[in-house]
Amino acid sequence: MQRLLLCVFLLSHIIVSAQYSLKGTITNENNVPINDVHIHLGNKITTTNSEGKYSIENLIEGNYKLYISYIGYESISKTILITENTEFSIQLFPSVTNLESVVVSERIMKNSTIDNEQKINSETIENYSNVTLGDALKEISGVSTLKSGTTIVKPVVNGLHSFRVPVISDNVRLEDQQWGVEHAPNFDVNAANSLSVLKGASTLQYGGNAIGGIVVIEPISLKKDTIIGKTIITGASNGRGGSISSSLTKGTRKGWAWNIVGTAKYFGDREAQNYVLSNTGNREQNFSGNLKYVQDNYSISGSYNFYNAQMGILKASHIGNVTDLYNAITNQEPYIVEPFSYNINRPKQEVQHHLAKLFYEQKLNDFSKIDFQYAFQFNNRKEFDVRRNSEDERPALDLNLASHNFQTNYKYSKESWKFTNGINFGYQNNVANPNTGVRPLIPNFDKFDFGIYSITNYKIDNSLKIEGGIRYDFSRIMASKYYLKSRWDERGYDEDFSQFIVEDYGTQWLTKPTFDYHNFAGSIGFNKQFHHEINWLFSIGLATRNPNVSELFSDGLHHAIGQIELGDLRLQQEKALKINSTIRKEWKKVTLEANPFISRIADFIYLQPTGFETTIRGAFPVWEYNQTDALLTGIDVSGSWIINKHFSYSGNLAYIIGRDIKTDDYLIDMPPFNTTHSIQYKNEKWNNLLLGLKSETVLKQTNYPNFNFETNIVVDGNLTPVTVDISSPTKTYSLLHFQAEYQFSIFKNKTLATAFSVQNLLNTNYRDYLNRQRFYAEEMGRNFQIQLKFNY
């Protein structure tokens, strides 16, 4: 028996300690060996010798990311399974789109080696083909979502959102009236090849107000002489609809490359566990295309994106008086539930967004290059309210926002130094359609922007890099707005802003306020690599954000969410000091990453419920923009574990506390503690069979301010005092999701993948604290989804 145990011990020891090698030869297109080819396998790095040979030893069994690159040649990136001593030899071919690949990497990510970057790739994005950009970004640790219903979703990064988290699409800042909590980014997620969240000095390239970080969208790109296509058809049970998205991408050895993407979505009412969420259907028709020409010394490209969406607003969320809101909160039942329908009636939103871009880059010498970019965006936003005259199809809000932006960047890189300097000019014009018959919430305005920045990166040695950047911005806002004299006096503007009045219209003043802002921002940090694959990123940054036009001028009913919003002309700039750190440790099969952060924001602007106001349309809750000093502290943790060649695990958690320093209270709308855990089974021999389970748990937010207020409602014909509980958070909930995927080879080099998934597998009944419609209805229930993914 003892001998048997000894044999078992020795055998297990041999198995555990079994180590393998990966060897091979790299040649060029003429089969000539290439010297000094860079090879990166997992955490190991090596280069080829003069005979083009390389060898990596001491590998244990498992999947590894293999990356092979050499200047002037197309890079190779693939996953390789090591179960024995393996030989991998390959031919490299010249890259006619080499300049483009450098542009992408330097512009967005590799320009900075100390940025905290978290990324999701195209394979993950495909699973979100029929939903929103915000839904897809939830895959990134530390990203929550602020929602208005089921289809309007915007990302929240470290507790911050909207203008504090700019969205950068193909190097262009998205200007799509993202000021409202119910305004989702106007972008088709199917046009993205990858999504990233960046925090660090490189964000200065896109403005000094990215207090929370930036969301970077990389478009689909092709770097070799071929043509590829992809079509994704998705059907979903909840909403009883589906989507289809198709893309075609072509690259040539002569330097041309083009890509087109088209998407259509059609959904009816979503359903909670026990009832229909009436009027929550949506439609989308999107298109994007780009054309590039790349040569050794220059590249030129143009692109166009069109986003067209119609979204129904939950009918039960448009209350007529304070009694409706009190009853909705107290009874926990929507006061309007109708049979399922594909119709999208009022209240609803209609949004169109156009983005066109021209880009030119010139290589000046071996060390430097310069680029020029012009971008034009036009956003039309219509919000339709329930009007007394049902035949009146006019929108209650109709805004046309045109944005022009020109920027140029100069980049220099030699030996250990890297510099990026740039300058930008912007002009924005907003016109509120006067034919709506309703006082516009957002006034007409013109906005001028000028910015200049510089980022420096220095590599001290192979283990330590430092980076710093500074930026200055000037902005001028010139608005034209009518104020009711009663509101003007009530806000105390008669004493402080009489100089803005230009004309008397009886009960209204015509005012023309002008505001100038000077902003300074900066960041400095380092990236230190220790032995044993420990990586430490640290940065400290200063950011400044101007109050936007909605925070300054909002004055009336916001029809999309049925609340009165009041801006404040006295609002000052937010000034944020943020310390961000990331520690990453990689073992052979396990990776752990922790990202603690602390941010102090002086004059933090937030929207606070203050009571009710009665209008001829009914009674609506009033939310006012206020300022305080805030302190946000938190941590994001993520990890993965390759259990064996078939099973893998990944998980993350996020925790944040937002404090109001002035009142020693908590901040409103901070994400509660949340954690996700996923386990996957994958077998490449079984047609890439993939099975996965994912759990998602969100705890009750215990750190929140109390903005409840007292009012009177009519009960049995008598006015009765009640407390309207508008502050209490929602309960803890856990969701379980299932995913399965199977792949077929139908033609040569063409595959068809079928995917089946179930969101909210147990049909859990819950409400989300960060959903503005949580007062009126539950979240969406179980949803079966089938996908066909055809790659050709």
Side-chain angles (χ1 to χ4, degrees):
M1 185 63 182
Q2 288 180 335
R3 289 182 178 178
L4 177 61
L5 291 174
L6 179 61
C7 289
V8 170
F9 172 77
L10 291 175
L11 181 60
S12 62
H13 179 74
I14 290 171
I15 293 173
V16 169
S17 60
Q19 294 183 326
Y20 307 109
S21 65
L22 177 70
K23 299 179 180 178
T25 304
I26 310 298
T27 57
N28 64 14
E29 71 276 18
N30 300 315
N31 283 324
V32 176
I34 311 177
N35 189 19
D36 284 334
V37 175
H38 176 85
I39 301 168
H40 195 156
L41 182 76
N43 300 319
K44 297 180 181 295
I45 299 174
T46 189
T47 57
T48 56
N49 59 23
S50 58
E51 298 177 344
K53 297 183 180 299
Y54 72 94
S55 176
I56 299 176
E57 307 290 342
N58 302 323
L59 301 173
I60 65 169
E61 182 177 313
N63 282 310
Y64 292 84
K65 288 286 186 183
L66 175 65
Y67 183 75
I68 301 174
S69 64
Y70 188 71
I71 296 175
Y73 284 77
E74 294 175 357
S75 300
I76 303 295
S77 178
K78 65 175 297 179
T79 300
I80 189 166
L81 176 64
I82 300 293
T83 59
E84 57 185 354
N85 291 331
T86 304
E87 182 169 339
F88 183 82
S89 298
I90 197 167
Q91 241 180 327
L92 298 183
F93 291 91
S95 171
V96 295
T97 55
N98 182 54
L99 273 177
E100 186 229 12
S101 65
V102 173
V103 171
V104 172
S105 61
E106 288 202 351
R107 184 188 310 153
I108 300 301
M109 294 170 289
K110 305 307 180 186
N111 185 50
S112 170
T113 55
I114 68 166
D115 278 350
N116 181 330
E117 180 208 6
Q118 294 176 299
K119 184 176 183 178
I120 53 178
N121 56 29
S122 58
E123 288 78 13
T124 303
I125 293 171
E126 288 177 359
N127 297 331
Y128 293 89
S129 175
N130 66 331
V131 289
T132 69
L133 175 69
D135 289 307
L137 285 168
K138 276 189 71 178
E139 285 286 328
I140 294 177
S141 175
V143 177
S144 303
T145 54
L146 191 64
K147 300 190 291 185
S148 291
T150 55
T151 56
I152 302 172
V153 184
K154 64 194 314 177
V156 179
V157 179
N158 294 154
L160 303 173
H161 57 82
S162 301
F163 284 91
R164 301 182 183 104
V165 185
V167 177
I168 311 300
S169 171
D170 192 16
N171 206 41
V172 178
R173 180 173 175 142
L174 215 56
E175 299 286 358
D176 56 355
Q177 301 170 349
Q178 64 269 44
W179 39 270
V181 295
E182 86 298 1
H183 298 185
N186 297 159
F187 184 84
D188 175 21
V189 69
N190 292 289
N193 186 55
S194 68
L195 301 172
S196 307
V197 172
L198 288 182
K199 307 162 194 170
S202 67
T203 64
L204 295 172
Q205 183 172 343
Y206 306 101
N209 57 359
I211 295 174
I214 60 173
V215 173
V216 176
I217 302 170
E218 282 291 308
I220 298 171
S221 181
L222 192 62
K223 302 179 179 65
K224 55 185 179 181
D225 183 18
T226 186
I227 182 168
I228 60 173
K230 178 173 63 178
T231 297
I232 302 175
I233 302 172
T234 305
S237 64
N238 206 325
R240 307 181 196 182
S243 66
I244 180 170
S245 179
S246 191
S247 66
L248 196 62
T249 307
K250 168 71 176 175
T252 73
R253 290 196 176 276
K254 293 183 178 180
W256 289 97
W258 55 263
N259 165 259
I260 54 173
V261 182
T263 300
K265 301 178 183 178
Y266 190 96
F267 285 92
D269 293 336
R270 269 60 171 197
E271 297 173 62
Q273 183 190 64
N274 298 315
Y275 48 79
V276 174
L277 301 168
S278 298
N279 201 47
T280 55
N282 68 298
R283 315 274 191 271
E284 276 188 36
Q285 306 85 33
N286 309 316
F287 170 80
S288 64
N290 62 70
L291 177 66
K292 300 179 182 179
Y293 182 65
V294 181
Q295 291 297 294
D296 291 340
N297 294 322
Y298 70 93
S299 67
I300 185 168
S301 64
S303 63
Y304 170 72
N305 286 268
F306 174 62
Y307 174 86
N308 182 37
Q310 308 87 44
M311 295 157 283
I313 306 296
L314 178 71
K315 191 167 289 186
S317 68
H318 269 231
I319 56 175
N321 52 60
V322 65
T323 304
D324 292 342
L325 178 62
Y326 176 78
N327 289 335
I329 294 174
T330 305
N331 301 331
Q332 294 284 288
E333 293 286 344
Y335 85 101
I336 296 178
V337 176
E338 298 174 343
F340 172 87
S341 173
Y342 286 102
N343 296 331
I344 299 178
N345 299 311
R346 294 167 293 169
K348 64 179 180 179
Q349 296 180 9
E350 292 183 0
V351 179
Q352 287 191 345
H353 188 78
H354 305 260
L355 191 161
K357 187 191 86 167
L358 290 175
F359 179 83
Y360 177 79
E361 184 180 71
Q362 177 69 52
K363 181 179 177 182
L364 302 177
N365 51 48
D366 290 340
F367 311 110
S368 62
K369 55 192 173 185
I370 189 169
D371 64 60
F372 305 91
Q373 176 177 292
Y374 167 74
F376 171 73
Q377 298 180 67
F378 181 77
N379 188 283
N380 174 242
R381 180 181 185 82
K382 293 185 174 73
E383 297 183 0
F384 297 82
D385 194 10
V386 179
R387 295 196 174 194
R388 292 182 176 180
N389 184 354
S390 60
E391 300 301 320
D392 191 348
E393 293 296 330
R394 288 183 299 170
L397 182 73
D398 187 356
L399 300 177
N400 292 317
L401 180 69
S403 304
H404 304 262
N405 186 273
F406 172 80
Q407 68 180 62
T408 180
N409 301 290
Y410 171 76
K411 298 173 183 176
Y412 177 87
S413 178
K414 186 177 183 181
E415 297 176 349
S416 299
W417 288 96
K418 183 182 294 183
F419 302 95
T420 305
N421 306 299
I423 188 170
N424 77 279
F425 301 91
Y427 169 68
Q428 212 169 57
N429 170 256
N430 182 71
V431 176
N433 186 346
N435 298 319
T436 60
V438 178
R439 289 168 51 80
L441 180 68
I442 303 296
N444 297 342
F445 70 87
D446 295 289
K447 182 168 174 279
F448 301 90
D449 293 300
F450 165 75
I452 184 169
Y453 78 95
S454 179
I455 301 172
T456 301
N457 187 300
Y458 178 65
K459 184 172 75 172
I460 296 176
D461 54 42
N462 288 331
S463 67
L464 180 61
K465 304 177 183 68
I466 60 174
E467 184 177 79
I470 57 173
R471 183 179 177 102
Y472 165 76
D473 285 283
F474 168 76
S475 294
R476 167 167 290 183
I477 298 175
M478 299 186 299
S480 176
K481 178 175 175 57
Y482 290 91
Y483 276 97
L484 289 172
K485 290 181 177 178
S486 56
R487 181 78 77 193
W488 183 263
D489 294 342
E490 171 200 303
R491 307 295 289 172
Y493 294 160
D494 52 331
E495 296 181 358
D496 296 335
F497 301 110
S498 59
Q499 70 276 17
F500 291 155
I501 298 175
V502 295
E503 202 161 346
D504 187 344
Y505 281 84
T507 60
Q508 299 183 83
W509 294 119
L510 172 59
T511 67
K512 293 195 174 180
T514 298
F515 293 99
D516 290 341
Y517 299 100
H518 300 270
N519 292 344
F520 295 92
S523 178
I524 188 167
F526 64 82
N527 177 359
K528 173 66 177 176
Q529 288 184 316
F530 298 92
H531 294 297
H532 311 294
E533 287 77 39
I534 295 178
N535 201 35
W536 181 27
L537 288 78
F538 178 88
S539 67
I540 180 169
L542 171 70
T544 309
R545 185 182 75 88
N546 301 330
N548 62 55
V549 289
S550 67
E551 294 163 339
L552 289 169
F553 302 114
S554 287
D555 175 26
L557 181 60
H558 195 167
H559 297 269
I561 48 179
Q563 67 185 29
I564 292 172
E565 294 178 0
L566 298 178
D568 194 334
L569 297 178
R570 301 181 187 84
L571 293 178
Q572 302 297 311
Q573 296 153 296
E574 289 183 345
K575 297 165 280 292
L577 181 65
K578 185 172 184 178
I579 299 174
N580 195 62
S581 179
T582 300
I583 301 173
R584 180 182 176 88
K585 165 66 178 171
E586 294 185 2
W587 289 271
K588 298 296 182 183
K589 295 186 177 182
V590 177
T591 300
L592 277 178
E593 182 174 303
N595 172 214
F597 63 90
I598 181 169
S599 180
R600 190 192 188 284
I601 307 176
D603 295 319
F604 178 77
I605 301 173
Y606 65 102
L607 199 54
Q608 174 185 335
T610 57
F612 261 82
E613 186 171 304
T614 302
T615 71
I616 58 173
R617 168 70 177 74
F620 294 93
V622 177
W623 293 63
E624 295 187 36
Y625 286 101
N626 287 326
Q627 282 190 300
T628 188
D629 292 337
L631 182 67
L632 281 71
T633 56
I635 185 169
D636 304 325
V637 179
S638 60
S640 63
W641 176 26
I642 301 174
I643 301 171
N644 56 40
K645 65 179 181 181
H646 294 307
F647 285 94
S648 63
Y649 161 85
S650 64
N652 59 61
L653 64 87
Y655 181 60
I656 182 172
I657 297 178
R659 297 284 302 181
D660 184 330
I661 298 174
K662 286 186 177 178
T663 63
D664 194 25
D665 200 350
Y666 294 103
L667 295 176
I668 191 172
D669 288 340
M670 287 291 117
F673 174 89
N674 60 86
T675 179
T676 63
H677 303 274
S678 303
I679 186 164
Q680 282 193 342
Y681 172 83
K682 187 171 184 179
N683 194 325
E684 295 179 354
K685 295 181 179 178
W686 296 352
N687 287 28
N688 283 323
L689 173 67
L690 175 69
L691 300 172
L693 273 178
K694 178 180 179 180
S695 72
E696 178 182 356
T697 299
V698 179
L699 301 186
K700 180 179 180 179
Q701 177 60 281
T702 56
N703 304 321
Y704 65 96
N706 185 349
F707 291 135
N708 295 342
F709 55 88
E710 308 290 330
T711 188
N712 295 316
I713 66 172
V714 178
V715 178
D716 297 329
N718 300 313
L719 280 178
T720 304
V722 295
T723 299
V724 181
D725 183 5
I726 205 166
S727 305
S728 294
T730 53
K731 298 177 182 176
T732 296
Y733 64 87
S734 292
L735 306 176
L736 191 63
H737 313 294
F738 171 76
Q739 179 192 6
E741 188 169 324
Y742 196 72
Q743 212 171 73
F744 302 90
S745 293
I746 52 177
F747 302 109
K748 184 180 179 181
N749 298 326
K750 298 173 180 60
T751 61
L752 174 65
T754 60
F756 172 74
S757 61
V758 188
Q759 290 89 45
N760 193 0
L761 182 65
L762 304 179
N763 204 17
T764 302
N765 205 12
Y766 70 104
R767 298 190 185 219
D768 188 341
Y769 177 63
L770 293 184
N771 191 337
R772 277 296 175 85
Q773 295 183 354
R774 70 181 189 275
F775 304 120
Y776 314 107
E778 308 283 351
E779 294 287 330
M780 197 169 76
R782 184 188 293 122
N783 182 32
F784 295 94
Q785 182 174 290
I786 296 177
Q787 268 192 337
L788 295 177
K789 293 187 265 188
F790 182 40
N791 294 294
Y792 43 92

